[in-house]
């Protein structure tokens, strides 16, 4: 029984990978210029912030929780960063400050969830209200960023062999690698899976369930703040309406990547594939070009549906 | 007193009372209800009337959450329902014809039932996790609503349709009557038949209930259909209020308010335990919160902060762990 489970534990991720390749193949066949490597790299360039946020979300979902505040924390980060830079704060100070704010919000929600047994959905919904509210307290308008450091990082293109990526992509990939390492090879990573698998037995085993749970929300808050920094590189502005609905994109990416919402099973690499799926859907729509805004929404829904059902069909056989 | 405080509904009701009293302090005439031209008017009536759509959405959401699911698509369903009804009415030769309006309303609700069937099929039969299954319709649904209205905001001028949101029956606002009737109907079905118990059993453990001979799939589908129809009725109210359909913005984020209302009312998101009365109080609480913001004169940009604080406080006082921590400091009150 155990060997069977072991053999098939990569099945959901593999299914996503195969379907992603299939989707890419369909794109290459149907649209000229789709096979250009830069198209794939652009998916990373355009979604680096979502990747970082989704990695943080992966930790939370692995413990069986959910974090609805990420989009709002991303917006708050762009807002605080833009506000501080506008006041003339040096980037070396502004950057740690925004990361700290994100981590603190995550910590607060984690404490509420652990110590007071508030349901994660509700605690993070309150966090979402709080972060969006703070955005509008700072300003109801968009704040442009003209700080030289920010602009130079934003515009820096790293060229190799005729293709380029941005610094944001490198940061996002670094976050992915660190997260994958932490989840696979550290005690904390094993705790995360154990808590998600069965909090009761994890506690009886003597694992520090509370600390793990608070830590994952702090990590998610920190990742959201970092994602917000990357978004502010991308947009070069702070705005309270940035990243609206991003929490759902992040959750969708994690789930498409084969992580169970009930916790205990899934991989960071799956989340990367999930973000690529969402990014590729956008790319296909761009290449299609003649879709009106409502057909775009319907098309995204249909692709999401096809993808989820196919993934479900592939992985169902294992039971 | 301690027994009273342990009642599930005590804290939401207490918070609601607190908010109402706060309003009364800032606006002495807040509680006054007067009969003008045979119609009831007053701030309390306004809360009831404006809270009706949310109450309906939350009512349906309660059934879905009772099965251990969640429905993120209700906002989109609100938009679709209003869009189809307005599109049908706008195409009538005589927009004042009661028959035509009734057909439009029926078509809209039928479409909503179909959408609920779709959600229920994905969750109950295909076995997709509810949050993801309904996310599909949440994304695509707004597109469908815009498709129906062709990307425009459809305005209608139909007195019978206007009645749904602005009419009065026996001096009570029509939306309040509709909401109360639906709440009563659902509560009756749930408490007078085995349906409520079966829902709770499915929410507690769908697999075990199926083994025990309960048709859990069918129950799950019924819950999603009921939820979508409730959202559809709410959508009719929303579009009737402004006599127009806006595919983009109608019912925006109402799913979060509805879920919040359900949870404030003491229903667990894990499923298997639910309270219709709690949901009604929860929905009224959220609507009163919105009203309070205007009465007290809180600047619009701080509104969300205010909401966050109230939600946190309410969740904390409702949390048994929090109360245990408080009472640990007063050993005299600890009882076994």
């Amino acid at each position: 029984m155990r060997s069977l489970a072991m053999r098939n534990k990569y099945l959901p991720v593999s299914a996503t990978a195969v379907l992603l390749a299939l989707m890419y193949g369909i794109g290459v066949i149907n649209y000229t210029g789709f096979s250009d490597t830069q198209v794939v790299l652009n998916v990373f360039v355009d979604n680096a912030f979502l990747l970082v946020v989704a990695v943080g979300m992966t930790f939370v979902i692995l413990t069986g929780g959910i974090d609805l505040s990420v989009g709002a924390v991303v917006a708050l980060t762009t807002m605080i960063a833009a506000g501080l830079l506008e006041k003339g704060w040096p980037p070396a100070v502004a950057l740690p400050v925004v990361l700290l704010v994100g981590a603190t919000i995550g910590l607060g929600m984690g404490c509420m969830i652990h110590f007071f047994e508030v349901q994660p959905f509700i605690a993070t919904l309150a966090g979402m209200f709080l972060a969006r509210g703070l955005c509008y307290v700072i300003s109801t308008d968009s704040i442009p960023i003209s700080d030289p450091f920010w602009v130079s990082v934003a515009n820096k293109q790293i060229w190799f062999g005729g293709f380029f990526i941005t610094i944001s992509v490198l940061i996002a990939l670094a976050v992915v690698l660190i997260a994958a390492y932490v989840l696979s090879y550290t005690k904390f990573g094993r705790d995360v899976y154990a808590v998600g698998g069965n909090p009761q037995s994890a506690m009886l085993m003597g694992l520090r369930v509370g600390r793990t749970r608070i830590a994952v929300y702090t990590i998610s808050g920190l990742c959201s703040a970092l994602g917000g920094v990357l978004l502010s590189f991308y947009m070069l502005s702070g705005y309270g309406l940035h990243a609206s609905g991003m929490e759902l994109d992040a959750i969708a990416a994690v789930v498409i990547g084969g992580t169970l919402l009930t916790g205990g099973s899934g991989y960071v690499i799956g989340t990367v594939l999930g973000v690529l799926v969402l990014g590729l859907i956008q790319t296909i729509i761009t290449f299609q070009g003649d879709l009106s805004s409502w057909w775009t929404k319907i098309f995204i829904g249909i692709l999401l549906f096809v993808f989820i059902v196919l993934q479900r069909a592939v992985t169902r056989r294992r039971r | 007193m301690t027994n009273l405080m342990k009642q599930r509904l005590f804290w939401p009701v207490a918070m609601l009372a607190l908010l109402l009293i706060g309003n009364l302090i800032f606006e002495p005439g807040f509680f006054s209800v007067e009969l003008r031209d045979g119609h009831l008017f007053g701030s309390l009536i306004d809360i009831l009337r404006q809270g009706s759509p949310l109450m309906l959405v939350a009512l349906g959401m309660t059934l879905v959450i009772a099965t251990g699911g969640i429905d993120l698509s209700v906002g989109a369903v609100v938009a679709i329902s209003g869009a189809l009804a307005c599109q049908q009415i706008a195409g009538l030769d005589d927009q004042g014809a009661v028959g035509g309006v009734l057909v439009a309303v029926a078509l809209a609700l039928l479409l909503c039932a179909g959408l609920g069937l779709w959600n229920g099929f994905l969750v109950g039969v295909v076995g997709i996790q509810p949050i993801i299954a309904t996310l599909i319709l949440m994304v695509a649904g707004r597109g469908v609503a815009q498709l129906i209205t062709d990307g425009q905001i459809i305005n209608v001028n139909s007195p019978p349709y206007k009645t749904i949101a602005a009419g009065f029956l026996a001096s009570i606002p029509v939306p309040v009557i509709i909401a109360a009737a639906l709440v009563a109907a659902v509560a009756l079905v749930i408490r007078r038949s085995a349906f409520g118990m079966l829902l709770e059993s499915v929410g507690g453990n769908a697999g075990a209930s199926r083994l025990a001979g309960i048709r859990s799939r069918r129950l799950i589908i019924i819950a999603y259909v009921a939820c979508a129809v409730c959202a559809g009725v709410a959508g009719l109210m929303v579009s009737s209020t402004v006599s127009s359909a806006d595919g983009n913005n109608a019912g925006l984020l109402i799913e979060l308010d509805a879920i919040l209302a359900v949870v404030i009312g003491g229903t667990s998101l894990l499923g298997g335990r639910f309270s219709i009365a709690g949901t009604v109080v929860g929905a009224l609480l959220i609507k009163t919160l919105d009203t309070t913001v205007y009465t007290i004169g809180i600047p619009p940009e701080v509104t969300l902060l205010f909401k966050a604080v109230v939600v946190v406080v309410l969740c904390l006082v409702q949390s048994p762990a929090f109360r245990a921590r408080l009472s640990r400091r007063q050993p005299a009150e600890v009882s076994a």
Side-chain angles (χ1 to χ4, degrees):
Chain A
M1 192 64 205
R2 182 162 168 73
S3 68
L4 193 74
M6 289 300 282
R7 223 187 313 144
N8 288 331
K9 72 178 186 172
Y10 293 110
L11 193 57
V13 177
S14 322
T16 305
V18 170
L19 290 170
L20 181 67
L22 206 68
M23 211 161 92
Y24 182 73
I26 291 172
V28 169
I29 292 169
N30 283 325
Y31 308 106
T32 46
F34 201 89
S35 57
D36 191 351
T37 311
Q38 190 62 48
V39 169
V40 177
L41 293 178
N42 280 346
V43 171
F44 278 100
V45 170
D46 295 337
N47 292 290
F49 48 90
L50 178 61
L51 188 54
V52 173
V53 172
V55 165
M57 182 72 82
T58 311
F59 279 86
V60 172
I61 292 184
L62 278 177
T63 65
I66 201 152
D67 189 348
L68 292 181
S69 71
V70 292
V73 172
V74 165
L76 180 62
T77 307
T78 66
M79 207 70 195
I80 296 179
L84 291 181
L85 293 171
E86 197 187 33
K87 286 204 172 64
W89 286 43
V93 183
L95 211 55
V97 165
V98 291
L99 293 181
L100 196 67
V101 170
T104 310
I105 293 178
L107 180 72
M109 294 184 304
C111 288
M112 224 175 125
I113 290 162
H114 173 65
F115 290 118
F116 304 125
E117 289 160 24
V118 178
Q119 294 172 14
F121 198 98
I122 297 304
T124 56
L125 187 60
M128 173 188 181
F129 289 157
L130 182 83
R132 288 261 182 229
L134 285 174
C135 284
Y136 296 122
V137 171
I138 295 172
S139 169
T140 48
D141 300 319
S142 168
I143 306 175
I145 297 178
S146 53
D147 177 81
F149 171 76
W150 233 263
V151 174
S152 70
V153 172
N155 292 333
K156 175 88 181 146
Q157 294 180 340
I158 301 160
W159 288 86
F160 56 95
F163 307 113
F164 78 92
I165 52 174
T166 55
I167 292 179
S168 296
V169 176
L170 292 182
I171 296 176
L173 291 179
V175 170
V176 167
L177 288 180
I178 293 170
Y181 173 79
V182 167
L183 281 177
S184 310
Y185 298 109
T186 64
K187 180 176 179 309
F188 174 71
R190 285 192 294 278
D191 286 359
V192 168
Y193 281 102
V195 168
N198 190 336
Q200 216 69 43
S201 6
M203 193 142 71
L204 292 175
M205 275 165 66
L207 298 182
R208 289 193 246 184
V209 174
R211 210 181 59 166
T212 309
R213 215 179 249 163
I214 294 173
V216 294
Y217 288 96
T218 313
I219 289 172
S220 178
L222 183 67
C223 283
S224 307
L226 186 58
V229 171
L230 299 191
L231 184 68
S232 70
F233 288 147
Y234 191 77
M235 298 275 194
L236 281 180
S237 69
Y239 190 30
L241 285 178
H242 274 340
S244 61
M246 190 191 265
E247 51 280 345
L248 292 175
D249 285 342
I251 295 169
V254 174
V255 173
I256 288 174
T259 301
L260 288 181
L261 274 175
T262 40
S265 156
Y267 301 94
V268 172
I269 183 69
T271 300
V272 177
L273 296 177
V275 170
L276 285 179
V277 167
L278 294 181
L280 218 54
I281 289 179
Q282 285 293 347
T283 309
I284 289 178
I285 285 167
T286 315
F287 269 81
Q288 182 65 30
D290 57 355
L291 292 172
S292 51
S293 75
W294 51 90
W295 275 114
T296 307
K297 284 177 194 163
I298 297 175
F299 194 55
I300 292 177
I302 292 172
L303 285 181
L304 207 57
F305 165 70
V306 170
F307 197 91
I308 291 166
V309 168
L310 277 181
Q311 211 228 25
R312 178 88 199 150
V314 173
T315 53
R316 187 171 239 181
R317 242 174 259 150
R318 72 187 161 138
R319 251 171 285 146
Chain B
M1 188 62 193
T2 35
N3 274 337
L4 188 66
M5 280 168 67
K6 277 184 191 143
Q7 283 281 320
R8 209 196 284 175
L9 276 180
F10 175 79
W11 287 109
V13 171
M15 187 64 107
L16 182 60
L18 201 70
L19 279 178
L20 289 174
I21 291 169
N23 279 299
L24 187 64
I25 294 169
F26 278 87
E27 194 184 307
F30 192 79
F31 279 11
S32 74
V33 173
E34 55 179 296
L35 205 62
R36 215 183 294 156
D37 307 332
H39 302 336
L40 286 171
F41 280 97
S43 300
L44 293 180
I45 303 291
D46 280 348
I47 290 176
L48 280 177
R49 184 166 63 186
Q50 290 161 9
S52 298
L54 177 61
M55 196 182 291
L56 285 178
V57 175
L59 174 71
M61 188 70 83
T62 311
L63 300 181
V64 167
I65 290 180
T67 67
I70 201 156
D71 190 345
L72 294 182
S73 70
V74 286
V77 173
V78 164
I80 292 175
S81 163
L84 186 64
C86 286
Q87 189 251 6
Q88 289 291 320
I89 291 170
L92 291 175
D93 292 330
D94 171 22
Q95 292 196 9
V98 176
V101 170
L102 281 180
V103 170
V105 165
L107 275 178
L109 293 182
L110 206 63
L111 177 61
C112 291
L115 295 174
L117 203 61
W118 164 257
N119 279 335
F121 171 76
L122 289 187
V123 176
V125 180
V126 185
I128 301 174
Q129 304 181 60
I131 199 170
I132 294 300
T134 55
L135 179 69
I136 295 171
L137 187 57
M138 182 193 191
V139 176
R142 296 236 164 245
V144 172
Q146 280 174 294
L147 184 70
I148 293 172
T149 64
D150 205 21
Q152 310 288 315
I153 294 176
I154 295 186
N155 292 303
V156 295
N157 180 19
S158 163
Y161 191 60
K162 188 80 192 159
T163 310
I164 297 177
F168 286 87
L169 194 69
S171 62
I172 302 170
V174 169
V176 178
I177 295 177
I178 295 176
L182 273 172
V183 168
V186 170
L188 206 67
V189 169
I190 284 200
R191 291 304 163 211
R192 290 289 160 207
S193 73
F195 186 68
M197 191 194 68
L198 295 180
L199 267 188
E200 290 191 339
S201 87
V202 170
N205 189 333
S209 344
R210 206 180 57 244
L211 292 179
I214 296 169
R215 296 188 185 175
S216 53
R217 273 184 188 168
R218 206 173 67 177
L219 278 164
I220 288 174
I221 293 174
I222 290 175
Y224 281 91
V225 171
C227 182
V229 171
C230 284
V233 177
L236 296 177
M237 282 181 192
V238 169
S239 71
S240 160
T241 308
V242 287
S243 281
S244 68
D246 179 353
N248 249 341
N249 296 312
L252 203 60
L253 292 183
I254 201 171
E255 55 276 350
L256 291 181
D257 270 349
I259 294 167
L260 202 55
V262 173
V263 173
I264 286 175
T267 297
S268 163
L269 277 177
L270 302 175
R273 187 177 72 103
F274 70 104
S275 156
I276 299 282
T279 296
V280 171
V281 174
L284 287 178
L285 182 61
I286 288 174
K287 214 61 218 175
T288 310
L289 203 57
D290 289 345
T291 311
T292 310
V293 166
Y294 294 113
T295 317
I296 305 188
I298 294 173
E301 56 267 23
V302 193
T303 306
L304 274 173
L305 270 189
F306 178 70
K307 213 167 171 178
V309 170
V310 173
V311 169
V312 169
V313 169
L314 193 69
C315 285
L316 288 187
V317 294
Q318 272 188 299
S319 134
F322 183 74
R323 276 182 301 199
R325 244 160 233 275
L326 277 189
S327 55
R328 215 174 290 154
R329 291 204 200 115
Q330 306 151 1
E333 274 187 35
V334 174
S335 56

